[in-house]
Amino acid sequence: MRKLQFQLKDCKYKVDLRLKTDMTGIYGESGSGKTYLYNIIKTHESLDRTGKILCIDDKNKYDAIRKLNVAEESIIVIDQANHVLGIEEIRKLIAKDCLRGNYYILIGRQLPIQIRLSEMAQMHIKDDVISISYDFGEA
C-alpha cells in the first residue's frame, strides 16, 4: 500500500489517500470534487522537492510522455483521464509500466481503459479530510 498524505498551509482539507493498488480510478459525477482534489495535489506537486508526485491533465498531456518515460517510484495523478488517455502513446506507456514502482491515480467521470473493479474508488470529504474508498472493499 502506498500513501499520499499532506495538508497545504492555506487549505482547510488534509489529503489522506491510501492506494492499495498501483492503478486506482477515482470517479464521480460532475461537481463531486474530483478536479478540486486534483488541484490540491497539483499545488502540492509544485511544492514537493522529491519530484515523486507527477500531475498530468488535459492542458499538459503532450508533456506527459516525457514525464512518464522517466518516472520511477512516483505517484502519477491524471485528471480528465478520459481525454489524456485518448493519446495512444500515453496508454502504452502506462500499460508497460509495471516494474518502475509507479502508482497511478486516474480521475474522471468515464475511464477509457480497463481497470480491475477492485481498483475503482470514490472520493469522500468528511470533516477536514479528503479520502477515497474502494468500491469492493479493502485489500
Side-chain angles (χ1 to χ4, degrees):
M1 179 181 296
R2 191 97 171 259
K3 296 178 185 179
L4 177 58
Q5 298 174 310
F6 65 89
Q7 183 165 10
L8 297 173
K9 182 179 179 183
D10 297 327
C11 183
K12 71 177 186 176
Y13 295 111
K14 174 185 173 187
V15 173
D16 184 8
L17 304 182
R18 296 161 194 263
L19 307 173
K20 70 176 189 174
T21 65
D22 62 351
M23 181 92 54
T24 296
I26 298 177
Y27 69 95
E29 295 299 318
S30 181
S32 64
K34 298 178 307 293
T35 297
Y36 180 68
L37 171 62
Y38 174 78
N39 288 332
I40 292 172
I41 295 171
K42 188 171 182 165
T43 300
H44 180 65
E45 172 199 29
S46 69
L47 301 171
D48 180 53
R49 303 266 186 246
T50 67
K52 295 298 183 182
I53 299 171
L54 301 174
C55 291
I56 299 168
D57 57 41
D58 205 29
K59 295 177 188 88
N60 68 352
K61 63 186 173 189
Y62 295 103
D63 189 39
I65 295 167
R66 181 189 57 77
K67 288 182 175 184
L68 290 172
N69 273 315
V70 298
E72 288 188 17
E73 299 288 325
S74 298
I75 295 176
I76 300 164
V77 185
I78 301 176
D79 190 32
Q80 302 290 326
N82 47 317
H83 298 292
V84 174
L85 297 176
I87 299 172
E88 185 177 359
E89 190 171 352
I90 292 175
R91 284 194 317 271
K92 286 181 179 179
L93 282 169
I94 292 171
K96 291 190 301 187
D97 186 11
C98 61
L99 299 175
R100 294 186 295 159
N102 292 321
Y103 276 63
Y104 289 86
I105 301 173
L106 307 177
I107 301 173
R109 280 182 268 170
Q110 298 175 337
L111 299 174
I113 63 172
Q114 294 290 341
I115 298 177
R116 293 180 298 273
L117 290 177
S118 64
E119 297 172 347
M120 295 302 295
Q122 293 187 52
M123 186 188 86
H124 304 282
I125 300 176
K126 184 175 180 184
D127 299 323
D128 62 347
V129 177
I130 299 174
S131 62
I132 59 174
S133 63
Y134 287 87
D135 289 352
F136 294 95
E138 299 302 318

